[in-house]
Amino acid sequence: QVQLVESGGGLVQPGGSLRLSCAASGSIFSIIDMGWYRQVPGKLRELVAGLRSSGSTNYADSVKGRFTISRDNAKNTVYLQMNSLKPEDTAVYYCRVSGTVGATDFDSWGQGTQVTVSS
């Protein structure tokens, strides 16, 4: 069982920055993919940024150039640095981590953290 704990959300003014963190813990595991998603009421959850074990990244068009995903392997933590925030970035942000525990695949989600961009 792999647990994810998110932190770093909050209220920020337009143009401001926030950094989200997601720490993975639990059974001995190997991480393959890490990602951040977001969801607003009435809409589907969407991928914001993804990071594969190879180091390759992908971003939603709406956040390219403003958001950066990164990881600290020693801490099993994935980060989302969000700059130049806009009101339309307001959402609940979720991290997702997938990989293996021994011979078993896992796919875990964080509890979500609210990000509100407003003046």
Side-chain angles (χ1 to χ4, degrees), residues 16-119:
S17 298
L18 282 175
R19 189 177 81 155
L20 305 182
S21 301
C22 174
S25 63
S27 304
I28 297 174
F29 52 86
S30 174
I31 294 174
I32 299 175
D33 292 326
M34 309 180 92
W36 287 95
Y37 294 71
R38 66 187 181 188
Q39 188 170 23
V40 298
K43 293 190 176 182
L44 296 175
R45 191 172 297 184
E46 64 171 354
L47 175 67
V48 175
L51 174 60
R52 299 188 65 87
S53 57
S54 63
S56 65
T57 58
N58 60 291
Y59 296 91
D61 288 342
S62 59
V63 307
K64 284 181 180 176
R66 299 188 298 121
F67 290 11
T68 303
I69 187 171
S70 62
R71 65 185 285 181
D72 183 330
N73 291 329
K75 296 180 179 180
N76 289 318
T77 299
V78 60
Y79 303 98
L80 184 68
Q81 178 66 43
M82 305 184 292
N83 299 327
S84 301
L85 282 161
K86 304 175 180 180
E88 51 264 43
D89 295 318
T90 296
V92 178
Y93 284 71
Y94 299 88
C95 66
R96 181 183 185 184
V97 175
S98 61
T100 59
V101 176
T104 303
D105 295 338
F106 75 89
D107 188 357
S108 297
W109 289 85
Q111 79 280 9
T113 185
Q114 177 70 47
V115 171
T116 302
V117 184
S118 175
S119 55

